[in-house]
Amino acid sequence: MDRKRGIVPRKINGFRDIDPNLNHIKQNIIEAASKVYRLYGFEHWDTPAIEYAENLGKYMPDTDTIGQGVYSFRNPETEPVLMANGKELRDGSNKVVMDNHFLSLRYDLTAPLARHYAEETWQQSLRGQLTPDNAPLFRRFQFGPVYRFEAKLDPGRFREFWQLDFDTVGTKDVSADAEVCMVLSDALEAIGLKRGTYVVKVNNRKILKGLLHTLGIDTEEMEQDILRVVDKYDKIGIYGVKAELGKERKDESGAIITGLNLDQAIVDGIISFLEILSETDSNGFPLLEAKKDLSRASILQKLKLHLKDSEIGNEGIEELTKINGILTRLGYDEERVIFDPTLVRGMAYYTGPIFEVESKQSYKDEKGRERRVGSICGGGRYDGLVKNLNGVAVPATGASIGVDRLAELLMLTNQVPNKVQGPVFIAVFDDELMPEYQKIAAELRENNIATEIYYGSSKGMKKQFKYADKRNASLAIMLGSDEAERGVVSVKDLILGRQSFEIQDRDEWKKRIQSEVKREDLVSFIRKKLT
């Protein structure tokens, strides 16, 4: 037996080959959303897929192994090590210290944005001239693949996927946060989601921070531990949250999840907050379509009562009040945007308002069970990200559409656009006529008509038309020596040919789908057929 290591063609787990139809769906999403982004004044920028690991701001690798959460590797190029002021670091002999720096594939599009902004304002920050109040305004959108090194992949999750971001950097004004809600709503409807099939959920970092402060939680570590549990609310229900905040929780498999073992008064305070500001079903899971009054105005009133003694909580309430005023004035009602004080979403990353878009649509899985895709967009205010790079807390806000997740939703709920229309197909009957086939193709392309000549090795008509169907070709041009001598070309309507007719007579069927056209009239005939 040959034990020599072989080369097997295969994909890396978590990466996919994307076929033309899925690419078509993704391209439609990107084009529709980008048009909306431009309407709001955002400019299209791109940043590199690879950055210095230290500039990404988290998952910092300290060895030659892959860093947690990102794909990292050593730069083959040796470069100087820089000090905090940007000057080269020198050793005791005054020689420049060199290193093969760690590089990482970007894990999102926001960290590279922060790097770009910090790089552009670097000299200004070194001179002490950059402050949170005078930071230059920068508005951009970007789309592209991002990469996550995840040790374990859940079904439907990937290590390479596309995001479609828009961000405003350089403003503290929460009007920009209100605009995020508007952009998300407008973009999703431009993509094709009907109003009422999605909801933009909004919360504020300061609301939950204020709640925990009133309960005596004053350390960042404990705050994050509690919020990680609350973040599971929609997955484990209110009873699961209560159990995990306490001693322990038993999951569906029977495994025991060690709880935070909080004082009962703290647990009761958190559960009371969830019960007052959300509504659950009989099993304790939050309802997407609440029955009681959970309007934005009602939520604000309840928050004012619940957090009346919290200074930071009231800051969050004031910001949500301003957002509500703008949204109400412009007609973005609760059908599109709601306040959800139980929303957590990356609380260590965000500093103010946070956003998440949830699809209300469901689908049946392979076992006939009703499922939901869940979150398809997310974002928030992140006033500390640029600070990690230049020491200045430049205010910023924005959101991201998960292109692949949204594409999956459209496919699962049968909302995909029509299959990609293939080119006009030129069948090859005679190799000696290849110059004429090429001439026909050139004439059609000059008229902006996508055209493909069959170059396969097997010239059998059955195989050629099978290939044309696979390409979803619209029309087939057939030119043999007989047609060439008579100065005509046969054109077959492949779209019509794929449809079923109650016609038994073969000649009648052929007459319906196939036409003979004078060679000089071919281009105009094709143009009419395609309009």
Side-chain angles (χ1 to χ4, degrees), residues 342-370:
T342 68
L343 178 64
V344 176
R345 186 171 190 86
M347 296 303 284
Y349 183 79
Y350 296 114
T351 59
I354 52 175
F355 319 100
E356 187 168 278
V357 178
E358 186 170 348
S359 168
K360 294 183 179 182
Q361 296 173 284
S362 61
Y363 66 95
K364 295 289 181 66
D365 66 12
E366 64 278 359
K367 294 183 180 180
R369 297 171 297 190
E370 190 166 339

Side-chain angles (χ1 to χ4, degrees), residues 474-476 478 490-499 501 503 506-516 525 529:
S474 52
L475 301 170
M478 297 172 289
S490 291
V491 179
K492 184 176 182 179
D493 190 326
L494 297 179
I495 297 175
L496 200 60
R498 294 184 192 112
Q499 300 174 9
F501 299 103
I503 300 175
R506 179 176 175 79
D507 290 337
E508 180 65 24
W509 179 82
K510 185 176 180 180
K511 184 178 179 182
R512 175 79 70 92
I513 67 169
Q514 194 166 311
S515 306
E516 193 170 84
F525 179 83
K529 290 288 287 183

Side-chain angles (χ1 to χ4, degrees), residues 305-348:
L305 291 173
H306 214 91
L307 299 175
K308 59 184 178 181
D309 297 324
S310 171
E311 183 178 349
I312 190 169
N314 278 290
E315 283 182 23
I317 293 170
E318 288 177 14
E319 291 174 0
L320 289 184
T321 300
K322 184 171 182 179
I323 290 172
N324 181 52
I326 293 171
L327 295 176
T328 302
R329 181 77 176 267
L330 294 176
Y332 290 81
D333 59 17
E334 278 83 354
E335 188 178 20
R336 289 191 274 182
V337 185
I338 65 171
F339 287 165
D340 180 3
T342 68
L343 178 64
V344 176
R345 186 171 190 86
M347 296 303 284

Side-chain angles (χ1 to χ4, degrees), residues 74-87:
R74 287 282 190 179
N75 189 352
E77 178 184 3
T78 301
E79 297 179 294
V81 175
L82 304 179
M83 296 187 293
N85 60 6
K87 295 181 179 180

